[in-house]
Amino acid sequence: MQLKRITIIGGGIGGLAAALALQRRGFRVSVYERAQAFREIGAGLIITANARGALRDLGVDDALAMRSSCVPVIHACDYATGAVQGSTRNRDIEARWGAATLQVHRGDLHDVLKEAVVANDPDALHAGCEFAELEQDESGVTAIFTDGRTAPGDALIGADGNTSAVRSFVFPGEAAGFNGQVAYRALIPQSLIPERVRELQMGMYAGPGRYMLFYALRGGSIMNLIGCGRATTWEAEGWSIPASNEEFEAAYADFAPHLVELIRAIPSGELFKWGLRDREPLARWVDGRVAMLGDAAHPMTPFLGQGACLALEDGLVLGRAFAASNSVEEALQRYEVARRIRGTNVQLWSREEGLALQDPNIPQRPAAARGLLEYDPATVTV
Ligand SMILES: Cc1cc2nc3c(=O)[nH]c(=O)nc-3n(C[C@H](O)[C@H](O)[C@H](O)COP(=O)(O)OP(=O)(O)OC[C@H]3O[C@@H](n4cnc5c(N)ncnc54)[C@H](O)[C@@H]3O)c2cc1C
């Protein structure tokens, strides 16, 4: 298929993965990002075998693994005593699903994708471009930015996250809403980490109405800490609202002593909170020459740790769908057929898993137990 250019709105993990997948199949892409620079916040991500299949195909898996952690054992612990209740060896995950689970700094994943996109085309990325609306007809689709600039293309991919403006424009009528959960996050240098936390390297603690999770990043030099729980109050939009150690500790005071110690160890200015957003599944991901991708297509709660993994899968499958098609319409239909049911399922299962992670009496069914790691985006039919 001969195309002039594919426009991608949003330079997050999904948008960059899509850009790279398309470039590697010979397509020209332009990525437009609202922020003044292409960068990610300081936080961790768990990247499972299904997403590593996408990263391998994109040619960046080794580079990412070099910058990440690969903890030997993932522990599930009693929230109050801290006693280890279950352990999963990463070696067993690798043997069963072909790749170990990585603990990744978001900035490192973003960087390896960005570097690869720019190496293919130094002019592919455009910062400071906030999507406002679009116009499309039989000959193409034009993105219009808030400052009046425009970008014409043959297809437009909305990869602008869980409050997607592209989605609101193309599929109006339903906005992202606060889902009653507030999360805290922090990165803590190794020198400040309590001994027990350092020994475990990765631990998950499901407690009443809240859970805590920590895991080592960058080969253990920093610890990523997340606490997420039900709340009645609304938190302003954004991932980086400053929070105090005292309020975090007060909300999780009944958790194991080494977790409380970990909260106290968070350096000043390094603790942030945000209110989780959720949206209902979309009945269609495609409208004419426009398709949704990543959180814009399937915004999900973090309880299965699969949002970025699915964004990477989406990106690769989109590239493969374009390579297999004779027209934009055919490519986008192939993409939607290949991806929508999986995206919707994981979105709904993530909500369900949230109940288990915040109630010690409900059995957990993490991503592996739900069969999600078996999916290979490099070979799935498009
Ligand atoms: C607490 C927490 C923990 C998580 N842990 C994991 C995990 O362990 N594993 C995992 O796989 N996933 C995890 N996720 C989910 C993951 O972070 C997201 O699913 C992923 O970042 C989605 O990528 P995206 O590219 O679709 O969206 P985003 O990363 O949100 O990127 C969207 C981009 O679009 C830009 N943008 C927004 N509006 C506009 C506009 N109007 N015009 C132009 N650009 C715009 C934004 O600035 C941003 O750069 C977690 C999420 C949370 C909240």
Side-chain angles (χ1 to χ4, degrees), residues 9-16 32-35 39-40 44-48 51 106 110 129-132 145 159-166 183-185 211 213 215 226 228 239 274 276 293-296 298 300-302 304-311:
I9 305 295
I13 290 158
L16 292 177
Y32 296 92
E33 166 58 43
R34 172 177 65 181
R39 61 170 170 256
E40 259 293 349
L45 280 175
I46 295 166
I47 296 295
T48 46
R106 295 178 73 96
H110 196 258
C129 301
E130 182 173 10
F131 171 88
F145 301 103
D160 50 342
N162 65 0
T163 56
S164 170
V166 177
Y184 292 89
R185 69 175 167 87
Y211 76 90
L213 166 68
Y215 49 85
I226 295 277
C228 184
W239 282 49
W274 75 102
L276 268 55
L293 183 143
D295 274 6
H298 42 71
M300 61 183 72
T301 53
L304 282 175
Q306 285 291 310
C309 292
L310 259 73

Side-chain angles (χ1 to χ4, degrees), residues 124-204:
L125 304 185
H126 307 268
C129 301
E130 182 173 10
F131 171 88
E133 54 184 327
L134 62 84
E135 288 170 354
Q136 62 171 320
D137 59 25
E138 312 75 55
S139 61
V141 51
T142 299
I144 303 165
F145 301 103
T146 49
D147 60 5
R149 282 181 291 169
T150 58
D154 299 289
L156 183 146
I157 309 303
D160 50 342
N162 65 0
T163 56
S164 170
V166 177
R167 173 166 164 164
S168 297
F169 184 84
V170 177
F171 301 108
E174 178 255 342
F178 175 61
N179 78 347
Q181 299 271 345
V182 170
Y184 292 89
R185 69 175 167 87
L187 295 180
I188 307 159
Q190 192 192 33
S191 58
L192 302 177
I193 297 166
E195 186 56 38
R196 181 63 182 147
V197 172
R198 196 174 312 138
E199 272 165 23
L200 290 172
Q201 293 189 47
M202 180 160 182
M204 163 66 90

Side-chain angles (χ1 to χ4, degrees), residues 11 48 66 77 82 94 97 115 138 185 191 211 245 249 285 303 357 377:
T48 46
M66 301 255 296
C77 305
E94 185 171 12
W97 289 289
E115 285 157 15
E138 312 75 55
R185 69 175 167 87
S191 58
Y211 76 90
N245 297 18
E249 182 181 337
W285 287 12
F303 306 120
L357 283 182

Side-chain angles (χ1 to χ4, degrees), residues 65-343:
M66 301 255 296
R67 302 184 195 189
S68 302
S69 290
C70 186
V71 305
V73 184
I74 299 165
H75 303 282
C77 305
D78 182 89
Y79 83 97
T81 65
V84 174
Q85 296 173 317
S87 300
T88 308
R89 292 191 317 168
N90 221 342
R91 205 187 310 150
D92 296 337
I93 293 176
E94 185 171 12
R96 173 133 184 228
W97 289 289
T101 297
L102 294 181
Q103 298 76 41
V104 173
H105 191 293
R106 295 178 73 96
D108 294 340
L109 173 55
H110 196 258
D111 280 352
V112 295
L113 292 169
K114 185 173 62 181
E115 285 157 15
V117 168
V118 171
N120 289 330
D121 176 2
D123 301 321
L125 304 185
H126 307 268
C129 301
E130 182 173 10
F131 171 88
E133 54 184 327
L134 62 84
E135 288 170 354
Q136 62 171 320
D137 59 25
E138 312 75 55
S139 61
V141 51
T142 299
I144 303 165
F145 301 103
T146 49
D147 60 5
R149 282 181 291 169
T150 58
D154 299 289
L156 183 146
I157 309 303
D160 50 342
N162 65 0
T163 56
S164 170
V166 177
R167 173 166 164 164
S168 297
F169 184 84
V170 177
F171 301 108
E174 178 255 342
F178 175 61
N179 78 347
Q181 299 271 345
V182 170
Y184 292 89
R185 69 175 167 87
L187 295 180
I188 307 159
Q190 192 192 33
S191 58
L192 302 177
I193 297 166
E195 186 56 38
R196 181 63 182 147
V197 172
R198 196 174 312 138
E199 272 165 23
L200 290 172
Q201 293 189 47
M202 180 160 182
M204 163 66 90
Y205 303 74
R210 297 143 299 154
Y211 76 90
M212 284 181 78
L213 166 68
F214 62 74
Y215 49 85
L217 295 177
R218 292 184 174 157
S221 61
I222 40 177
M223 193 63 74
N224 182 59
L225 173 64
I226 295 277
C228 184
R230 292 177 208 151
T232 46
T233 51
W234 176 278
E235 298 293 335
E237 195 184 327
W239 282 49
S240 300
I241 302 160
S244 72
N245 297 18
E246 291 73 24
E247 68 170 287
F248 190 9
E249 182 181 337
Y252 291 79
D254 53 339
F255 277 60
H258 59 265
L259 297 175
V260 174
E261 221 185 308
L262 186 60
I263 292 174
R264 289 182 186 155
I266 299 169
S268 165
E270 292 296 325
L271 177 61
F272 303 96
K273 63 180 176 181
W274 75 102
L276 268 55
R277 298 282 182 283
D278 210 352
R279 272 178 139 165
E280 291 307 311
L282 264 182
R284 290 183 301 135
W285 287 12
V286 172
D287 178 54
R289 293 174 173 273
V290 181
M292 309 310 303
L293 183 143
D295 274 6
H298 42 71
M300 61 183 72
T301 53
F303 306 120
L304 282 175
Q306 285 291 310
C309 292
L310 259 73
L312 291 165
E313 293 178 4
D314 286 349
L316 176 57
V317 172
L318 183 82
R320 292 183 54 224
F322 268 90
S325 300
N326 293 311
S327 68
V328 166
E329 289 76 7
E330 182 187 345
L332 297 185
Q333 285 308 322
R334 281 181 188 265
Y335 162 71
E336 176 173 329
V337 168
R339 294 297 301 160
R340 194 174 59 78
I341 291 176
R342 181 168 170 87

